[in-house]
Amino acid sequence: MSDNFIFSSESVTEGHPDKVADQISDSVLDALLKDDPMSRVACEVLVSTGFAVIAGEISTKAVVDIQKIARETINGIGYTSADYGFDGNSCAVFTALDEQSGDIAQGVDDAIEVRGQDLADSDIAKIGAGDQGMMFGYATNETKEFMPMPIALSHALARQLTKVRKDGTLKYLRPDGKTQVSLRYENRKAVHADTIVVSTQHDPSASLAQIRGDMISRVIAPIVPPELIDDKTRIFVNPTGRFVKGGPAADSGLTGRKIIVDTYGGWVPHGGGAFSGKDPTKVDRSGAYMTRYAAKNIVAAGLADECQIQVAYAIGVAEPVSLNVNTFGSGKISEERIAELLREYFDFRPAAIIRDLSLRKPQYKAVAAYGHMGRIDLPELPGWEKTDRAEALRKAAGL
């Protein structure tokens, strides 16, 4: 990527069909972790007109009412009327759940490095990665969220769109919606909002002119910095002209289909693994959180203006098979030295990640919409968003 370019990222509201599925998956996970923190969960959801299917593999001592959880989640999003084509009170909820495969469990329960040794369940070396794969974490000092500005603004617009719906400011809005921001960069700095897109589901009575005016004044204006917008900025509101039919009635939703929205808006690579519905022994989730945590602390420490970390695992093996650092030329010290500090100050073994980031507690529904990273809007900051190791890293780097 050159230093001068236009980059776009999108977000979706909690009423988007894929996000409905993600939130049900993570609501089930949260309920199970509440009663049994050692639950093994791989819960995936399909939603479509009039029904939700909850499938996957769960091994737990907890007893929860999955149908009730699904209905409460759907109603909480705002699908409470048959007029929307999807109603948490009346939709069918089907479950198809099995136990976790014993072949997988044996590799997670006892990592290959210590297999056959008599270790306590709490031993950090004990747990192996729940799958193979690679995960990416990233941070930049471009925004207060330590996130790329296009995705940070897209998420903020989506949250604002939901806020004015739920607080009654715009009573004609319905739950489904999408946002997109395209920013022009010069010398790798955002200088202009080239295009802003807001698509929102609405009651049939609302006119396009009314919706456009409200989106500009009540959604875009409070969020996008005014210095980025001028008369050359293109603003598209409901570009098809009408968005009455939405949500699962208009488009089926699946858990894990918004992985770019969940992370960095496409600014950096993605390993391919989804997050929602997975307990923290699944490194798709915990590994991505740990690399975000490490990258954010590197940037917060001033070791680089931006930092991307890739980690990779083999199933049943605790230690990562690789660790890669890229500061895109912004590092104040060498990438080799940053990699050394990462190995010294961060333990990327699954059990250590779970311990250090407090991943066995219910907290996942809160991040199942509007992004898993950069969530400074939440009352309790997730463990992977803290910068509690920045000062130690800075001193160790001699800065």
Side-chain angles (χ1 to χ4, degrees):
M1 185 184 294
S2 70
D3 290 339
N4 302 313
F5 53 88
I6 294 176
F7 195 89
S8 303
S9 292
E10 71 158 353
S11 183
V12 297
T13 66
E14 61 198 57
H16 186 281
D18 294 330
K19 280 291 144 199
V20 173
D22 283 341
Q23 289 166 94
I24 295 172
S25 291
D26 275 335
S27 293
V28 171
L29 173 63
D30 280 349
L32 293 168
L33 291 177
K34 181 180 179 181
D35 289 350
D36 179 9
M38 304 304 288
S39 296
R40 298 279 174 81
V41 184
C43 177
E44 300 186 6
V45 175
L46 161 69
V47 293
S48 190
T49 306
F51 71 88
V53 179
I54 303 169
E57 298 78 44
I58 295 176
S59 297
T60 183
K61 296 177 182 177
V63 178
V64 300
D65 188 337
I66 290 179
Q67 285 214 6
K68 181 181 179 182
I69 292 168
R71 295 186 189 282
E72 288 178 346
T73 302
I74 294 165
N75 285 334
I77 292 167
Y79 288 112
T80 56
S81 170
D83 291 342
Y84 300 166
F86 195 65
D87 177 5
N89 298 305
S90 61
C91 69
V93 179
F94 305 100
T95 59
L97 297 166
D98 294 312
E99 285 191 288
Q100 183 184 54
S101 164
D103 296 341
I104 296 174
Q106 69 179 6
V108 177
D109 293 340
D110 294 291
I112 194 171
E113 295 98 324
V114 297
R115 203 162 296 163
Q117 298 181 33
D118 187 16
L119 299 179
D121 287 341
S122 60
D123 195 290
I124 295 300
K126 186 176 178 63
I127 297 178
D131 201 353
Q132 71 174 48
M134 76 290 293
M135 300 86 216
F136 289 87
Y138 176 82
T140 172
N141 58 16
E142 181 182 19
T143 64
K144 62 184 179 181
E145 297 92 344
F146 286 81
M147 292 286 285
M149 191 177 292
I151 189 65
L153 289 177
S154 294
H155 283 324
L157 288 170
R159 289 196 301 268
Q160 180 70 5
L161 183 56
T162 296
K163 178 181 180 297
V164 296
R165 170 176 66 89
K166 286 190 165 183
D167 68 13
T169 300
L170 300 178
K171 297 182 184 297
Y172 61 80
L173 294 182
R174 291 182 176 181
D176 199 356
K178 302 181 78 171
T179 60
Q180 185 171 287
V181 176
S182 303
L183 297 182
R184 182 181 300 278
Y185 281 76
E186 294 179 2
N187 297 319
R188 211 167 170 80
K189 300 293 183 183
V191 297
H192 181 248
D194 185 81
T195 308
I196 300 171
V197 184
V198 178
S199 294
T200 180
Q201 189 185 13
H202 58 88
D203 289 343
S205 60
S207 69
L208 181 58
Q210 177 187 8
I211 297 168
R212 178 178 173 82
D214 285 340
M215 291 302 102
I216 291 173
S217 64
R218 297 186 180 273
V219 176
I220 296 173
I223 298 299
V224 182
E227 64 269 19
L228 293 179
I229 300 179
D230 59 22
D231 56 4
K232 295 182 179 179
T233 299
R234 296 178 297 172
I235 297 177
F236 296 113
V237 174
N238 284 8
T240 68
R242 180 178 169 88
F243 189 1
V244 173
K245 187 175 182 180
D251 184 16
S252 62
L254 293 170
T255 298
R257 201 159 58 176
K258 285 291 176 285
I259 57 177
I260 299 303
V261 172
D262 285 342
T263 51
Y264 307 99
W267 187 267
V268 295
H270 193 292
F275 302 156
S276 289
K278 295 179 179 177
D279 76 83
T281 66
K282 278 73 171 175
V283 285
D284 282 339
R285 178 165 227 157
S286 53
Y289 289 167
M290 191 61 170
T291 51
R292 163 64 177 177
Y293 175 58
K296 187 174 182 180
N297 275 271
I298 291 293
V299 174
L303 276 59
D305 293 333
E306 54 181 320
C307 179
Q308 172 189 292
I309 299 171
Q310 185 209 49
V311 67
Y313 293 91
I315 188 169
V317 182
E319 289 284 353
V321 298
S322 70
L323 178 69
N324 178 271
V325 177
N326 186 353
T327 61
F328 306 94
S330 72
K332 307 304 184 289
I333 60 175
S334 71
E335 291 173 352
E336 290 78 10
R337 178 56 180 149
I338 291 176
E340 290 175 358
L341 291 172
L342 288 175
R343 292 186 178 93
E344 181 179 351
Y345 284 88
F346 300 90
D347 192 336
F348 287 89
R349 292 175 296 174
I353 297 173
I354 292 168
R355 175 199 64 195
D356 293 345
L357 302 185
S358 301
L359 297 184
R360 288 204 186 276
K361 64 182 182 181
Q363 58 187 311
Y364 298 109
K365 180 180 179 290
V367 295
Y370 313 113
H372 292 245
M373 318 302 178
R375 296 304 302 273
I376 60 174
D377 61 296
L378 296 177
E380 183 179 352
L381 202 64
W384 57 92
E385 288 299 315
K386 295 179 179 178
T387 55
D388 50 355
R389 302 191 186 185
E391 184 58 31
L393 286 166
R394 183 175 178 83
K395 289 180 179 178
L399 299 181

